[in-house]
Amino acid sequence: MSDNDAEPLCCCEYYDKDKNQSHILACCCFCEDLDEGFESLITCNGFPRYRCLRFMATFQDRLRIPWRGGAKLVAVDSILPLIILPIIFIIAAQSLWWTIFSFSTITVFLLYIFQVLIRITPRTKFFFVWTITSIVLLYIIFEFVVIPLLEILLEENIALSILIASFLFCLYTLKMRASRFHKSTDDSEMFSLPGTRFHNCSICQTTVPDKDHHCVWYDCCISRQNQCLFMMSLLFAAAALLYSSNLTLTSVCHPFKLYETILLPDDCSEVYQEFELGISFVSAIYSIILAVIILIILMQQVLLVSIGLTKKEWNKLPFSSKCFLGLTNRKYHSKGFFRNWSRILCWTEPKYVSINHT
Amino acid sequence: MIILCFSSKFKNAGLIIIVSAIIIGIYFPSRHARHYSCVKNENVLDSLYYEQKMAHHNLKNCNYEDVVFMPGNDISIEDVSDEKIYLKPLPGGEYLPTQCSPLLKSAIIVPYRDRPKQLKTFLNYMHHFLQKQKLHYRIFIVDQKNENLFNRAKLLNIGAKLAMKYGFPCLVLHDIDLIPLNYANIYACSNTPRHMSSSLDTFRYNLPYLTIFGGAVAILSEQFKTINGMSNLFEGWGGEDDDLYKRLIEHGLIPCRFCPSISKYTMLLHKKNRKTSESRFNLLKKSTQRSKFDGLNTLNDNFTIEVESLFTHIIVS
């Protein structure tokens, strides 16, 4: 490609898979495989499989967004959440039964697509984009549907925004630390540090010291270097979700005073009469479901750190010892409750001794 | 090089301006519920308008301090629909305290159409509530018995006109679905018009915007006459209360409010029937030009009065 670099690309131009300069607007212009394929379909010869595959490859190649320095390729699986989530929200806002139906469908769909994507394209951004889309969608609904109901005070809105900003900061720092300490497997260097176990992550293809697990929703590995940030981000996310759902539900439903300034909803029977109320209600329910899942994960993390197990080791435990919270098992890498926590909370940067592996 | 540096700085400045514009747009105070200034609880009694006492009573004047400052003034929402104990009022729903001579005299005017269940709850609750406040009051239910869109403001005008004819110096314009939750929220007029329902549970006990003047308001008859009442043109839901606010401001009457602790209200649950009026925004724009020719002085008298045991029933056809 370097020999083509004579002229800089405009934001809508790109080099396609055959290394020819192309333009976004030409995306529907000419596709040999589709033309030929249809010709053979019309002449009753069926759509040849190789044509189909090549058409898919061309389709994938032409799916681009304008970007500085040339249009960027976007994977189909990573734009799926951008389409699915808003549609699901709109459908769910119609009635209670649609809400139940769409949320159970989405659960089944996610479980299914997890199996498929991890097998086909392990490095998929689908789940990370899902996370980001959820945050953006919930925030947009809150700021532009719930706030205009004029029932939420400015300081309540600011408090929520601070929670969200803290979560995003944790997430960003977590990913930064992950990319700093988790080295690519194809680096010729090998590292060692006494007391550190190195794992190769098959999903993000990095060498991870003291790996806990790979989090598809954050699209990175969680290790001892960012586990603290991981738990903080979970805490902030759960707090933001619960707070926003409380604000939303007390706005769209009939609230009652629990104590002083704490309100809880008590009658939500009228939310589906208007679309704005319906979609706010649905976003609140989605937030609550997410918050519950996040809190469960957070509690599991707290437990695992306390007893000095990694997520991977936990998953391998037999069911019987899971029932005893893993306390009955021998834990080879546990150093006692306080040491376990202190090595997570430690912010010092580990110094790995590099071994030239030739 | 300098130009490059400058342009990148300029770009940053542009970015900063855009981001701050978005932040200001999102967190703009008027997009949120508002805090408001209110009459302090200890000044509530001073702010009220007292009737000049006629001397022919042998009773001593009523003392309202214990009404406002009694501990345990809050009423919980669960108790609202309970059967309340109250003295039987005079026919037409009028009541005079028997143990003392009242200094406060109010007409409670309630626009109404076809909600018998809420009416029952309201009457049962309000007679008890108002008698506890030792007021001289009368409840007027103004009932729209035609197929037109609900015209709340017109009904209030009709009720107000009648109440003034009966000699009430103070009008409380009240929605049927609102229930006050604190005995200290005294149902009489302040010297300036007062927005009473400023802490409503369906609004999360917050005030949606500062110029709101609907739900339950108290205004002196003289003041209501000065502003020529409310507009008769608002049909369907919304707008008429904002129009009333504009009329008040036009005549230099700045409304007041009691503090959230005593101005708590609950809304009786009902299915929303908000057939919003399409013309309300246009009507609101020309609010001030119209106030002289649209209001109490352009009201027709097509109503009948029925005296019931608990209220005066004004049927508008």
Side-chain angles (χ1 to χ4, degrees), chain A residues 68 139 142-144 147-158 161 246-247 250-257 261 263 267 269-270 273-274 277, chain B residues 11 25-35 77-78 199-209 260 264 266-274:
Chain A
R68 204 161 53 180
Y139 187 70
F142 184 79
E143 289 295 345
F144 298 103
I147 289 285
L149 295 174
L150 297 175
E151 294 181 23
I152 289 163
L153 293 169
L154 178 60
E155 51 264 41
E156 290 170 322
N157 190 6
I158 289 175
S161 303
N246 180 272
L247 289 178
T250 49
S251 294
V252 299
C253 302
H254 187 272
F256 71 96
K257 210 167 238 180
T261 53
L263 296 178
D267 179 77
S269 53
E270 295 179 6
Q273 291 181 5
E274 277 175 62
L277 300 184
Chain B
K11 215 178 206 171
I26 286 178
Y27 298 104
F28 203 72
S30 67
R31 273 170 46 84
H32 300 81
R34 304 300 288 265
H35 292 287
I77 295 177
E78 288 85 60
S199 182
L200 183 56
D201 65 346
T202 47
F203 294 153
R204 304 182 72 246
Y205 298 101
N206 289 330
L207 190 74
Y209 51 98
K264 278 207 290 278
T266 183
M267 192 181 265
L268 298 173
L269 296 177
H270 63 269
K271 295 282 169 213
K272 282 180 186 129
N273 183 18
R274 288 188 170 172

Side-chain angles (χ1 to χ4, degrees), chain A residues 110-123:
Chain A
L110 280 179
L111 290 173
Y112 171 74
I113 206 156
F114 180 79
Q115 306 290 334
V116 173
L117 284 179
I118 289 300
R119 196 154 32 84
I120 303 173
T121 54
R123 301 191 70 170

Side-chain angles (χ1 to χ4, degrees), chain A residues 126-198:
Chain A
F126 176 85
F127 300 100
F128 185 61
V129 175
W130 186 283
T131 310
I132 299 297
T133 314
S134 300
I135 297 166
V136 172
L137 193 63
L138 290 174
Y139 187 70
I140 287 176
I141 290 176
F142 184 79
E143 289 295 345
F144 298 103
V145 182
V146 182
I147 289 285
L149 295 174
L150 297 175
E151 294 181 23
I152 289 163
L153 293 169
L154 178 60
E155 51 264 41
E156 290 170 322
N157 190 6
I158 289 175
L160 177 68
S161 303
I162 290 171
L163 284 178
I164 296 170
S166 313
F167 163 71
L168 290 177
F169 175 76
C170 285
L171 177 57
Y172 177 77
T173 327
L174 179 153
K175 286 192 71 101
M176 281 296 109
R177 278 180 81 88
S179 62
R180 210 155 106 226
F181 295 112
H182 307 165
K183 299 288 182 217
S184 246
T185 348
D186 48 275
D187 277 5
S188 55
E189 284 180 315
M190 283 287 280
F191 304 95
S192 86
L193 185 72
T196 306
R197 289 166 292 158
F198 288 87

Side-chain angles (χ1 to χ4, degrees), chain B residues 18 27 75 148 173 175 185 211 236 291 302 315:
Chain B
I18 291 171
Y27 298 104
I75 307 155
N148 299 347
L173 314 179
D175 281 357
N185 188 3
T211 61
S291 64
N302 53 351
I315 298 163

Side-chain angles (χ1 to χ4, degrees), chain B residues 207-306:
Chain B
L207 190 74
Y209 51 98
L210 292 175
T211 61
I212 193 167
F213 201 69
V217 302
I219 182 168
L220 288 168
S221 301
E222 278 308 311
Q223 292 166 345
F224 200 70
K225 227 180 265 171
T226 314
I227 62 167
N228 196 15
M230 297 175 79
S231 169
N232 293 314
L233 304 177
F234 285 86
E235 297 195 318
W237 184 86
E240 82 291 342
D241 42 354
D242 298 325
D243 187 80
L244 175 61
Y245 185 85
K246 282 190 169 182
R247 288 180 179 220
L248 292 175
I249 296 300
E250 193 194 350
H251 289 85
L253 296 165
I254 311 293
C256 66
R257 295 189 173 95
F258 286 167
C259 289
S261 60
I262 62 172
S263 58
K264 278 207 290 278
Y265 274 78
T266 183
M267 192 181 265
L268 298 173
L269 296 177
H270 63 269
K271 295 282 169 213
K272 282 180 186 129
N273 183 18
R274 288 188 170 172
K275 198 162 248 180
T276 51
S277 64
E278 297 299 323
S279 56
R280 64 184 159 137
F281 296 113
N282 292 329
L283 283 171
L284 269 176
K285 268 183 216 153
K286 293 176 186 158
S287 175
T288 46
Q289 304 166 18
R290 225 183 35 239
S291 64
K292 278 198 183 68
F293 320 104
D294 166 28
L296 282 177
N297 60 358
T298 55
L299 216 54
N300 46 9
D301 288 339
N302 53 351
F303 60 86
T304 50
I305 303 164
E306 282 177 15

